[in-house]
PDB file of all heavy atoms in Angstrom:
ATOM      1  N   PRO L  82      88.128 132.443 127.144  1.00 51.00           N
ATOM      2  CA  PRO L  82      87.420 133.506 127.889  1.00 51.00           C
ATOM      3  C   PRO L  82      85.927 133.246 127.925  1.00 51.00           C
ATOM      4  O   PRO L  82      85.346 132.749 126.957  1.00 51.00           O
ATOM      5  CB  PRO L  82      87.752 134.772 127.081  1.00 51.00           C
ATOM      6  CG  PRO L  82      88.106 134.270 125.709  1.00 51.00           C
ATOM      7  CD  PRO L  82      88.742 132.947 125.913  1.00 51.00           C
ATOM      8  N   ARG L  83      85.310 133.560 129.076  1.00 52.00           N
ATOM      9  CA  ARG L  83      83.867 133.318 129.246  1.00 52.00           C
ATOM     10  C   ARG L  83      83.054 134.474 128.677  1.00 52.00           C
ATOM     11  O   ARG L  83      83.461 135.624 128.706  1.00 52.00           O
ATOM     12  CB  ARG L  83      83.535 133.147 130.720  1.00 52.00           C
ATOM     13  CG  ARG L  83      84.200 131.924 131.344  1.00 52.00           C
ATOM     14  CD  ARG L  83      83.703 131.733 132.753  1.00 52.00           C
ATOM     15  NE  ARG L  83      84.269 130.543 133.367  1.00 52.00           N
ATOM     16  CZ  ARG L  83      83.959 130.123 134.607  1.00 52.00           C
ATOM     17  NH1 ARG L  83      83.119 130.809 135.329  1.00 52.00           N
ATOM     18  NH2 ARG L  83      84.513 129.028 135.079  1.00 52.00           N
ATOM     19  N   ARG L  84      81.879 134.132 128.183  1.00 49.00           N
ATOM     20  CA  ARG L  84      80.955 135.154 127.676  1.00 49.00           C
ATOM     21  C   ARG L  84      80.174 135.748 128.812  1.00 49.00           C
ATOM     22  O   ARG L  84      79.711 135.045 129.711  1.00 49.00           O
ATOM     23  CB  ARG L  84      80.018 134.501 126.645  1.00 49.00           C
ATOM     24  CG  ARG L  84      79.017 135.452 126.013  1.00 49.00           C
ATOM     25  CD  ARG L  84      78.358 134.807 124.792  1.00 49.00           C
ATOM     26  NE  ARG L  84      77.773 133.519 125.125  1.00 49.00           N
ATOM     27  CZ  ARG L  84      76.511 133.374 125.571  1.00 49.00           C
ATOM     28  NH1 ARG L  84      75.741 134.444 125.749  1.00 49.00           N
ATOM     29  NH2 ARG L  84      76.038 132.184 125.806  1.00 49.00           N
ATOM     30  N   ARG L  85      80.009 137.095 128.812  1.00 50.00           N
ATOM     31  CA  ARG L  85      79.238 137.748 129.873  1.00 50.00           C
ATOM     32  C   ARG L  85      77.779 137.345 129.818  1.00 50.00           C
ATOM     33  O   ARG L  85      77.230 137.130 128.755  1.00 50.00           O
ATOM     34  CB  ARG L  85      79.354 139.272 129.725  1.00 50.00           C
ATOM     35  CG  ARG L  85      80.754 139.807 130.059  1.00 50.00           C
ATOM     36  CD  ARG L  85      80.799 141.296 129.876  1.00 50.00           C
ATOM     37  NE  ARG L  85      80.531 141.657 128.489  1.00 50.00           N
ATOM     38  CZ  ARG L  85      80.327 142.903 128.082  1.00 50.00           C
ATOM     39  NH1 ARG L  85      80.341 143.901 128.929  1.00 50.00           N
ATOM     40  NH2 ARG L  85      80.096 143.144 126.798  1.00 50.00           N
ATOM     41  N   ARG L  86      77.199 137.257 131.004  1.00 52.00           N
ATOM     42  CA  ARG L  86      75.792 136.857 131.084  1.00 52.00           C
ATOM     43  C   ARG L  86      74.948 137.855 130.310  1.00 52.00           C
ATOM     44  O   ARG L  86      75.060 139.062 130.474  1.00 52.00           O
ATOM     45  CB  ARG L  86      75.345 136.796 132.538  1.00 52.00           C
ATOM     46  CG  ARG L  86      73.884 136.332 132.707  1.00 52.00           C
ATOM     47  CD  ARG L  86      73.523 136.194 134.172  1.00 52.00           C
ATOM     48  NE  ARG L  86      74.387 135.212 134.819  1.00 52.00           N
ATOM     49  CZ  ARG L  86      74.352 134.946 136.132  1.00 52.00           C
ATOM     50  NH1 ARG L  86      73.530 135.600 136.920  1.00 52.00           N
ATOM     51  NH2 ARG L  86      75.161 134.057 136.634  1.00 52.00           N
ATOM     52  N   GLY L  87      74.068 137.346 129.462  1.00 50.00           N
ATOM     53  CA  GLY L  87      73.162 138.187 128.692  1.00 50.00           C
ATOM     54  C   GLY L  87      73.734 138.687 127.383  1.00 50.00           C
ATOM     55  O   GLY L  87      73.027 139.274 126.578  1.00 50.00           O
ATOM     56  N   ALA L  88      75.043 138.490 127.190  1.00 51.00           N
ATOM     57  CA  ALA L  88      75.662 138.958 125.940  1.00 51.00           C
ATOM     58  C   ALA L  88      75.290 138.011 124.797  1.00 51.00           C
ATOM     59  O   ALA L  88      75.106 136.823 125.015  1.00 51.00           O
ATOM     60  CB  ALA L  88      77.183 139.019 126.090  1.00 51.00           C
ATOM     61  N   PRO L  89      75.171 138.526 123.606  1.00 53.00           N
ATOM     62  CA  PRO L  89      74.823 137.639 122.463  1.00 53.00           C
ATOM     63  C   PRO L  89      75.962 136.682 122.174  1.00 53.00           C
ATOM     64  O   PRO L  89      77.120 136.983 122.445  1.00 53.00           O
ATOM     65  CB  PRO L  89      74.624 138.628 121.308  1.00 53.00           C
ATOM     66  CG  PRO L  89      75.449 139.821 121.682  1.00 53.00           C
ATOM     67  CD  PRO L  89      75.363 139.925 123.185  1.00 53.00           C
ATOM     68  N   PRO L  90      75.663 135.517 121.622  1.00 52.00           N
ATOM     69  CA  PRO L  90      76.720 134.535 121.296  1.00 52.00           C
ATOM     70  C   PRO L  90      77.711 135.134 120.300  1.00 52.00           C
ATOM     71  O   PRO L  90      77.325 135.879 119.400  1.00 52.00           O
ATOM     72  CB  PRO L  90      75.951 133.364 120.672  1.00 52.00           C
ATOM     73  CG  PRO L  90      74.531 133.565 121.085  1.00 52.00           C
ATOM     74  CD  PRO L  90      74.333 135.033 121.260  1.00 52.00           C
ATOM     75  N   GLU L  91      78.987 134.827 120.506  1.00 50.00           N
ATOM     76  CA  GLU L  91      80.013 135.329 119.615  1.00 50.00           C
ATOM     77  C   GLU L  91      79.975 134.583 118.277  1.00 50.00           C
ATOM     78  O   GLU L  91      79.675 133.404 118.221  1.00 50.00           O
ATOM     79  CB  GLU L  91      81.400 135.145 120.240  1.00 50.00           C
ATOM     80  CG  GLU L  91      81.595 135.990 121.476  1.00 50.00           C
ATOM     81  CD  GLU L  91      82.992 135.789 122.030  1.00 50.00           C
ATOM     82  OE1 GLU L  91      83.762 135.056 121.396  1.00 50.00           O
ATOM     83  OE2 GLU L  91      83.311 136.375 123.083  1.00 50.00           O
ATOM     84  N   GLU L  92      80.262 135.328 117.229  1.00 49.00           N
ATOM     85  CA  GLU L  92      80.377 134.698 115.926  1.00 49.00           C
ATOM     86  C   GLU L  92      81.672 133.891 115.882  1.00 49.00           C
ATOM     87  O   GLU L  92      82.683 134.327 116.439  1.00 49.00           O
ATOM     88  CB  GLU L  92      80.389 135.756 114.816  1.00 49.00           C
ATOM     89  CG  GLU L  92      79.074 136.482 114.620  1.00 49.00           C
ATOM     90  CD  GLU L  92      77.994 135.548 114.118  1.00 49.00           C
ATOM     91  OE1 GLU L  92      78.325 134.611 113.364  1.00 49.00           O
ATOM     92  OE2 GLU L  92      76.838 135.743 114.503  1.00 49.00           O
ATOM     93  N   PRO L  93      81.666 132.737 115.263  1.00 48.00           N
ATOM     94  CA  PRO L  93      82.920 131.979 115.168  1.00 48.00           C
ATOM     95  C   PRO L  93      83.940 132.751 114.349  1.00 48.00           C
ATOM     96  O   PRO L  93      83.599 133.490 113.439  1.00 48.00           O
ATOM     97  CB  PRO L  93      82.508 130.682 114.451  1.00 48.00           C
ATOM     98  CG  PRO L  93      81.260 131.041 113.724  1.00 48.00           C
ATOM     99  CD  PRO L  93      80.561 132.069 114.577  1.00 48.00           C
TER     100      PRO L  93
END
Side-chain angles (χ1 to χ4, degrees):
R83 296 186 178 182
R84 181 167 54 89
R85 290 179 298 170
R86 182 176 300 176
E91 294 181 3
E92 291 294 327

